[in-house]
């Protein structure tokens, strides 16, 4: 039975009145992800669960709206969550190479930074004023005078004692010396040496006696100097504390609930007290240099700055960060360097946050392809997730490439949810090759490329179009325009009952349609505008197809669209050239002779056939054996080839075509050249579905149109591919006008009947086929070939060897 498809099955037409409104302007814009129920369910679970390692990998093909949809979905979730805290780095007064991290409530970081800045500015004014005040000067003079009087009293007592023994005390830069006196005159070293030995001995005895008392007095003087220093230090501290008191107490009271801040403020106060001189000295004007040299400015107060690395003061919920350039420093943070006299210097104020810090307490979205282009970034990200803390380290230091003394900031606890966006292929590769990936990214949210074409989904499509038009200020679509867009969506996925979720492609057609609608000064985008946008998009890319069709028309490529030929069938293939794919007919021929080689694939022998194509050819032998070799051996040598094919051949969609050519050659029944064939076959003779069915039909239609449509031409496809038909309206119109035909078959028997016009024939009870049928003629020919080969000299020997 020949199954010629009616027009209704060639394209699933969308009713232009399904919206029940004038245009998409009357619809409600889309507010959710459509067609991705599985992915949304996985996302909700992944974002909701807080356990370690439950980060999310969003898998899917580019163009399905993964990035935009995930970002919008996550932002909606983040708005309902609390704002995470601020984090800042401050100087570690105990070890400047290990800055401390301080956690504050959201918005308090900026306030704390300003408070401390104001405090230091006030201190720079208050302390000099306090130490220049009359009260301080009076207390200082009183303290010094009292201690100085005690000091002078000790020296006077020692001087009187020395004079009574014949010595005087002389103060020198190196200390206090005892000088002998003779006849009221101090003696020099030369005069002392010139004295008689008896007198010198006497002086030495007195000196030794005085030196013991002298040493005791000197100890008292040193202790007195220490007391003076301690008294002044105590006085300075008391004055400084009095000057700082109100301001410091105010800060301590304000941040009393944060122990980290109060501890740091106490350290700041102690450091100021230890370094009062830098505050007491009035700033002197800097010399004017011909060239600015910022590194020559002394910055004694820089160590009191607050480096706010995570600022959530303007956030209204959990942060959502999309990092499209995840280099090591952009992702994990860095410590900047400053060049000074040929060397690089840094400090805690040059610590800069990465994307992982800005997203802390929220969500970080990273395209996995970009992440993997930076292998150090991926490894560093895994380490921070695994350790639960964010460490800012130089990559050379982290991986031991270079050992340089540098900053090691205190790590900040890590609480962000990581969302990677990539293809399913990369997910499988990472899951298989990276054990850490399995532990750290336990949630897979896979975006589908299709969704059912139901009334509900079509209405959601309209809502998507409405939202896109509103967002990009495009003209809205009327019913005919939206209908054509829905049909185009089904064409993309080659399924009458599916819609494409590759919204980027749909959006591009919508933008192009808007251009043509604007040129026509149309209020809305209608069906003609969408149709023109699709046709123009194809026209821009179909140059190669037109060149090939021209070569067919001029006879360079031999393709027959009329007559009948034995052992020759028009096969169909698809050629892809980047953004465009088209069908191209190819002549498949077979030559058959006696032999036992079976079916030989010339493409394979020439190393031009792929493994799937080779498998398809080998299946043909299985079909012939099952169908015709139950009572005799196959005794044929058949050679199959795609004529004028100068490229590789892959796929099994031409296996039925090759089988038809073999059956035609064996039976002697000619094949109609006005028909082209596509479809794979199994060993039981069932014709199986193939891909690119629309392109293949349209490709042969273009050739027939160029050579002239006769009404007899057409294409034969597998019956299971009928649901994939979304043919161009031009082809549908030609079929409707009786100028072109599309047939569907389920088995090889059905197909051979269409191609030859002769009944295939059923096997009878005695094992033979109905006389005059194709199968009867094939079986008869194979039997005769087996007998000839048996009777041929050497044939029996060859048969025994084979057996």
């Amino acid at each position: 039975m020949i199954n010629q498809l009616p027009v209704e099955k060639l394209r699933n037409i969308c009713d232009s009145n399904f919206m029940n409104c004038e245009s998409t302007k009357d619809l409600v814009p889309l507010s959710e992800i459509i067609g991705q129920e599985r992915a949304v369910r996985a996302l909700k679970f992944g974002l909701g669960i807080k356990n370690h390692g439950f980060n999310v990998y969003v898998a899917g093909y580019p163009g399905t709206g993964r990035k935009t949809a995930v970002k919008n979905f996550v932002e909606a979730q983040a708005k309902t969550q609390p704002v995470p805290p601020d984090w800042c780095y401050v100087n570690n007064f105990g070890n400047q190479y290990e800055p401390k991290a301080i956690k504050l409530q959201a918005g308090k970081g900026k306030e704390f930074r300003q408070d401390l800045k104001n405090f230091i500015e006030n201190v720079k004014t208050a302390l000099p004023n306090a130490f220049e005040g009359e009260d301080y000067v009076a207390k200082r003079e009183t303290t010094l005078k009292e201690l100085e009087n005690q000091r002078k009293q000790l020296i006077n007592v020692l001087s009187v004692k020395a004079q009574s023994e014949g010595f005087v005390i002389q103060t020198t830069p190196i200390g206090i010396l005892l000088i002998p006196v003779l006849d009221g005159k101090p003696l020099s070293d030369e005069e002392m040496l010139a004295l008689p030995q008896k007198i010198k001995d006497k002086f030495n005895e007195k000196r030794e006696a005085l030196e013991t008392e002298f040493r005791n007095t000197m100890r008292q003087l040193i202790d007195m100097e220490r007391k003076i220093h301690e008294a002044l230090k105590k006085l300075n501290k008391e004055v400084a504390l009095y000057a700082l008191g109100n301001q410091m107490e105010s800060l301590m009271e304000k941040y009393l609930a944060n122990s980290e801040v109060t501890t740091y403020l106490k350290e700041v106060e102690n450091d100021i007290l230890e370094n009062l001189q830098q505050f007491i000295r009035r700033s002197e004007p800097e010399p004017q240099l011909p060239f600015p040299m910022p590194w020559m400015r002394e910055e004694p107060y820089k160590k009191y700055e607050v480096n706010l690395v995570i600022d959530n003061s303007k956030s209204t919920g959990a942060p959502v960060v999309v990092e499209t350039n995840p280099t090591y420093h952009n992702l994990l943070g860095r410590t900047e360097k400053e060049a000074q006299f040929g060397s690089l210097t840094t400090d805690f104020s040059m610590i800069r946050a990465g994307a992982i810090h800005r997203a802390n307490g929220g969500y970080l979205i990273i395209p996995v392809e970009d992440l993997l282009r930076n292998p150090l970034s991926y490894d560093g990200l895994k380490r921070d997730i695994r350790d639960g803390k964010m460490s800012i380290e130089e990559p050379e230091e982290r991986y031991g490439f270079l050992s340089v003394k540098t900053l090691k900031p205190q790590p900040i606890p890590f609480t962000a949810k990581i969302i990677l966006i990539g293809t399913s292929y990369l997910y499988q590769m990472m899951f298989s090759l990276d054990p850490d990936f399995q532990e750290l990214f336990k949630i897979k949210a896979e975006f589908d490329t299709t969704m059912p074409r139901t009334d509900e989904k079509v209405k959601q499509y309209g809502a998507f179009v409405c939202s896109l038009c509103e967002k990009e200020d495009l003209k809205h679509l009327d019913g005919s325009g939206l209908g054509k867009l829905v049909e185009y969506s089904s064409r993309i996925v080659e399924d009458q009952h599916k819609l494409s979720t590759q919204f980027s492609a749909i959006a591009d057609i919508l933008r192009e349609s808007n251009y043509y609608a604007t040129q026509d000064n149309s209020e809305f985008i209608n069906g003609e505008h969408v149709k023109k946008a699709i046709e123009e998009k194809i026209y821009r890319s179909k140059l190669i197809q037109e060149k090939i069709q021209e070569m067919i028309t001029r006879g360079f490529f031999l393709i027959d669209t009329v007559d009948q030929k034995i052992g020759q069938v028009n096969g169909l293939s698809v050629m892809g050239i980047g953004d465009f794919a088209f069908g191209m007919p190819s002549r498949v021929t077979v030559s058959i002779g006696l032999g036992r080689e079976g079916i030989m694939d010339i493409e394979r022998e020439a190393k031009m056939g792929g493994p799937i194509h080779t498998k398809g050819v080998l299946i043909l032998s299985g079909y012939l054996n099952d169908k015709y070799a139950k009572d005799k051996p196959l005794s044929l040598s058949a050679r199959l080839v795609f004529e004028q094919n100068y490229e590789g051949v892959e796929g099994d969609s031409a296996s039925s075509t090759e089988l038809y050519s073999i059956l035609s050659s064996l039976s002697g029944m000619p094949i109609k050249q006005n028909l082209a064939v596509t479809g794979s076959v199994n060993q039981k003779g069932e014709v199986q579905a193939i891909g690119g069915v629309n392109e293949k039909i349209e490709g042969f239609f273009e050739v027939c149109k160029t050579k002239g449509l006769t009404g007899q031409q057409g294409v034969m496809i597998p019956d299971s591919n009928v649901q994939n038909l979304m043919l161009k309206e031009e082809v549908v119109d030609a079929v409707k006008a009786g100028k072109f035909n599309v047939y569907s078959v389920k088995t090889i028997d059905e197909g051979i009947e269409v191609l030859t016009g002769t009944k295939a024939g059923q096997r009878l009870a005695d094992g033979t086929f109905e006389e005059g049928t194709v199968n009867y003629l094939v079986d008869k020919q194979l039997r005769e070939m087996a007998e000839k080969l048996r009777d041929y000299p050497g044939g029996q020997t060859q048969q025994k060897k084979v057996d």
Side-chain angles (χ1 to χ4, degrees):
M1 176 181 175
I2 297 177
N3 186 16
Q4 186 172 354
L5 296 179
V7 175
E8 294 75 19
K9 290 192 175 184
L10 303 182
R11 182 182 180 92
N12 188 358
I13 306 297
C14 181
D15 185 4
S16 60
N17 298 318
F18 76 93
M19 289 192 303
N20 298 321
C21 57
E22 184 181 8
S23 71
T24 55
K25 187 176 182 180
D26 302 325
L27 301 177
V28 178
L30 187 68
S31 59
E32 59 184 7
I33 302 175
I34 62 171
Q36 304 293 349
E37 289 77 8
R38 186 189 309 275
V40 170
R41 187 170 174 179
L43 277 173
K44 287 182 178 179
F45 175 74
L47 300 183
I49 189 170
K50 303 302 181 184
N51 299 78
H52 178 74
F54 283 86
N55 295 293
V56 183
Y57 185 102
V58 178
Y61 284 98
T64 54
R66 299 167 302 169
K67 185 176 177 181
T68 303
V70 169
K71 184 174 182 292
N72 294 338
F73 183 83
V74 172
E75 286 177 344
Q77 296 283 325
K79 289 179 181 178
T80 63
Q81 298 180 10
V83 181
D86 294 343
W87 284 90
C88 49
Y89 277 109
V90 295
N91 182 40
N92 184 347
F93 295 99
N95 183 356
Q96 63 176 339
Y97 292 101
E98 297 181 1
K100 292 182 177 180
I102 294 181
K103 174 183 176 182
L104 299 104
Q105 292 181 353
K108 291 293 185 180
K110 186 179 291 186
E111 188 177 339
F112 175 59
R113 180 177 62 183
Q114 190 61 41
D115 286 344
L116 200 62
K117 181 180 179 181
N118 294 338
F119 171 74
I120 295 299
E121 290 297 325
N122 293 335
V123 168
K124 289 161 66 175
T125 304
L127 284 181
N129 291 339
F131 283 96
E132 291 174 0
E134 295 180 358
D135 185 45
Y136 170 75
V137 173
K139 288 183 178 180
R140 187 174 188 276
E141 289 179 353
T142 301
T143 302
L144 290 175
K145 185 175 181 181
E146 179 182 351
L147 294 173
E148 184 65 24
N149 289 335
Q150 295 179 13
R151 181 176 178 276
K152 287 181 179 180
Q153 184 177 355
L154 285 173
I155 294 176
N156 289 335
V157 171
L158 181 62
S159 178
V160 171
K161 179 68 175 176
Q163 289 177 4
S164 66
E165 297 294 336
F167 290 88
V168 295
I169 294 177
Q170 183 176 353
T171 303
T172 68
I174 63 174
I176 299 176
L177 301 178
L178 290 173
I179 306 298
V181 177
L182 185 64
D183 299 331
K185 177 183 177 182
L187 299 177
S188 64
D189 290 341
E190 292 80 3
E191 292 173 337
M192 184 68 181
L193 292 173
L195 292 175
Q197 186 63 38
K198 186 177 180 180
I199 297 176
K200 287 193 291 184
D201 293 341
K202 187 177 179 180
F203 272 119
N204 288 334
E205 290 176 3
K206 292 180 179 182
R207 184 192 297 274
E208 290 176 0
L210 284 172
E211 281 181 349
T212 301
E213 188 173 349
F214 179 75
R215 282 193 294 270
N216 293 332
T217 303
M218 287 301 298
R219 281 195 293 269
Q220 294 181 37
L221 287 174
I222 293 172
D223 187 58
M224 188 66 64
E225 292 287 347
R226 182 180 57 79
K227 288 181 178 179
I228 293 174
H229 178 74
E230 289 179 353
L232 288 176
K233 186 176 180 181
K234 181 180 179 182
L235 176 63
N236 290 344
K237 186 174 181 180
E238 290 175 352
V239 173
L241 284 173
Y242 180 78
L244 300 177
N246 292 334
Q247 299 180 59
M248 180 58 72
E249 287 177 6
S250 177
L251 285 177
M252 295 289 283
E253 183 178 352
K254 181 176 181 179
Y255 296 100
L256 183 63
N258 193 323
S259 60
E260 293 179 352
V261 174
T262 54
T263 300
Y264 172 70
L265 290 175
K266 195 65 180 176
E267 292 176 355
V268 169
E269 183 182 62
N270 292 336
D271 190 77
I272 291 174
L273 295 177
E274 292 295 328
N275 298 277
L276 282 174
Q277 290 303 316
Q278 72 181 25
F279 289 92
I280 296 174
R281 292 194 302 266
R282 290 288 187 180
S283 300
E284 298 180 358
E286 296 181 1
Q288 296 295 322
L289 301 176
F291 302 100
M293 297 182 181
W295 58 80
M296 295 190 67
R297 297 197 309 267
E298 185 181 4
E299 297 182 346
Y301 313 110
K302 191 174 183 181
K303 59 183 175 179
Y304 304 115
E305 292 179 0
V306 174
N307 182 9
L308 183 59
V309 292
I310 302 178
D311 181 14
N312 290 310
S313 59
K314 297 181 180 180
S315 301
T316 56
V320 178
V321 177
V322 180
E323 182 53 69
T324 57
N325 184 28
T327 62
Y328 184 90
H329 289 143
N330 287 352
L331 182 63
L332 304 175
R334 65 187 181 278
T335 302
E336 294 179 342
K337 308 292 190 302
E338 188 176 58
Q340 294 187 9
F341 298 105
S343 62
L344 297 177
T345 62
T346 187
D347 57 51
F348 73 96
S349 66
M350 298 184 187
I351 299 173
R352 300 292 178 260
I356 195 172
H357 298 84
R358 298 194 301 273
N360 201 34
Y363 306 93
L364 176 58
I365 303 173
I366 310 174
V368 72
E369 292 89 346
D370 298 321
L371 180 64
L372 295 179
R373 291 190 187 102
N374 298 274
L376 296 182
S377 299
Y378 177 55
D379 191 57
L381 176 65
K382 290 192 299 180
R383 181 174 300 185
D384 284 356
I385 297 174
R386 185 173 56 247
D387 296 345
K389 57 185 179 181
M390 300 175 288
S391 301
I392 299 179
E393 297 179 277
E394 293 301 312
E396 300 88 353
E397 183 74 16
R398 172 172 283 197
Y399 295 100
F401 298 147
L402 187 64
S403 180
V404 178
K405 191 171 185 179
T406 185
L407 298 183
K408 291 185 177 181
Q410 180 183 351
I412 296 175
F414 174 71
T415 58
K417 180 77 71 173
I418 305 298
I419 303 172
L420 299 182
I421 300 179
T423 63
S424 299
Y425 172 76
L426 283 178
Y427 175 84
Q428 295 297 333
M429 293 295 292
M430 296 172 74
F431 189 89
S432 302
L433 302 177
D434 185 5
D436 292 334
F437 180 81
Q438 302 176 25
E439 294 298 323
L440 301 178
F441 293 90
K442 298 180 179 180
I443 306 299
K444 179 184 180 183
E446 189 158 17
F447 272 60
D448 199 354
T449 56
T450 66
M451 65 180 184
R453 182 175 164 177
T454 61
D455 292 343
E456 179 186 358
K457 296 300 182 184
V458 171
K459 289 179 181 179
Q460 291 180 349
Y461 234 68
F464 160 73
V465 171
C466 175
S467 62
L468 183 64
C469 292
E470 294 289 341
K471 180 180 179 181
E472 300 189 9
D473 195 24
L474 305 176
K475 293 180 182 293
H476 283 271
L477 279 72
D478 63 11
S480 64
L482 186 56
K484 293 298 181 187
L485 198 66
V486 168
E487 292 171 17
Y488 176 70
S489 177
S490 292
R491 170 57 189 261
I492 291 177
V493 297
E494 292 193 332
D495 197 318
Q496 295 180 355
H497 309 296
K498 296 284 187 179
L499 292 173
S500 173
T501 57
Q502 292 181 290
F503 295 108
S504 61
I506 302 299
D508 287 342
I509 288 296
L510 186 57
R511 297 181 186 108
E512 294 177 28
S513 302
N514 180 75
Y515 170 79
Y516 295 116
T518 303
Q519 283 191 326
D520 291 346
N521 295 320
S522 176
E523 182 181 2
F524 300 115
I525 300 173
N526 57 39
E528 291 301 317
H529 297 138
V530 176
K531 181 179 178 181
K532 185 174 183 180
I534 296 170
E535 290 175 347
E536 288 296 319
K537 179 179 177 65
I538 294 173
Y539 177 76
R540 292 193 297 268
S541 302
K542 64 180 298 186
L543 177 62
I544 300 299
Q545 181 185 16
E546 291 182 351
K547 293 293 185 183
I548 293 175
Q549 289 175 354
E550 180 185 358
M551 296 179 75
I552 293 174
T553 304
R554 297 176 62 184
F556 292 107
F557 287 154
L558 302 179
I559 299 293
D560 293 329
T561 59
V562 293
D563 298 332
Q564 300 183 18
K565 300 245 179 112
I566 296 175
Q568 177 178 304
V569 185
N570 289 326
L572 295 171
S573 60
V574 176
M575 178 178 289
I577 49 174
D579 63 335
F580 181 61
F582 61 92
M584 185 175 67
S586 300
R587 176 181 288 181
V588 177
T589 63
V590 64
S591 62
I592 292 181
L594 288 177
R596 296 192 178 277
E597 292 87 353
I599 301 175
M600 179 184 295
D601 179 15
I602 293 179
E603 310 293 338
R604 177 188 177 187
E605 296 299 319
K607 301 187 184 305
M608 296 175 65
I612 298 178
H613 177 259
T614 299
K615 175 186 175 183
V617 174
L618 294 175
I619 287 176
L620 303 185
S621 298
Y623 172 82
L624 294 177
N625 272 300
D626 184 68
K627 189 89 171 182
Y628 305 109
K630 293 185 177 180
D631 56 353
K632 57 187 173 299
L634 283 180
S635 303
L636 81 162
S637 176
R639 284 165 172 75
L640 289 167
V641 68
F642 279 77
E643 303 289 358
Q644 293 186 291
N645 172 51
Y646 308 108
E647 297 178 340
V649 177
E650 179 60 315
D652 63 350
S653 64
S655 58
S656 66
T657 308
E658 294 166 328
L659 182 54
Y660 292 134
S661 65
I662 293 174
L663 296 179
S664 170
S665 183
L666 288 171
S667 65
M669 300 297 296
I671 298 289
K672 298 175 183 178
Q673 300 301 297
N674 53 290
L675 298 178
V677 180
T678 185
S680 68
V681 65
N682 60 27
Q683 293 188 112
K684 299 301 180 181
E686 297 172 318
V687 180
Q688 302 168 144
I690 44 82
V693 64
N694 292 291
E695 289 82 358
K696 291 175 179 179
I697 294 174
E698 291 166 358
F700 190 67
F701 172 80
E702 293 291 339
V703 172
C704 295
K705 184 178 71 171
T706 303
K707 290 194 169 188
L709 294 172
T710 63
Q712 301 299 317
Q713 295 137 333
V715 176
M716 189 171 68
I717 65 171
D719 185 72
S720 52
N721 278 124
V722 174
Q723 58 192 323
N724 302 118
L725 293 178
M726 285 297 297
L727 295 172
K728 293 192 301 185
E729 293 179 65
E730 182 184 9
V731 179
V732 175
D733 292 340
V735 173
K736 189 175 182 180
K739 296 180 180 180
F740 197 72
N741 306 280
V742 179
Y743 303 92
S744 67
V745 295
K746 295 181 179 179
T747 64
I748 291 297
D749 284 349
E750 292 181 6
I752 200 65
E753 290 181 1
V754 174
L755 293 173
T756 62
T758 303
K759 187 178 179 181
Q762 298 295 320
R763 186 181 291 275
L764 302 177
D766 59 358
T768 62
F769 293 93
E770 300 174 77
E771 191 171 349
T773 61
V774 175
N775 286 329
Y776 173 81
L777 296 175
V778 172
D779 186 66
K780 179 181 177 183
Q781 179 65 21
L782 289 173
R783 189 179 303 278
E784 292 175 355
M785 292 174 70
E787 292 175 352
K788 289 180 179 178
L789 186 60
R790 183 191 59 194
D791 296 337
Y792 189 79
Q796 293 181 350
T797 303
Q798 185 178 2
Q799 183 175 354
K800 289 180 181 179
K801 290 182 179 179
V802 173
D803 295 340

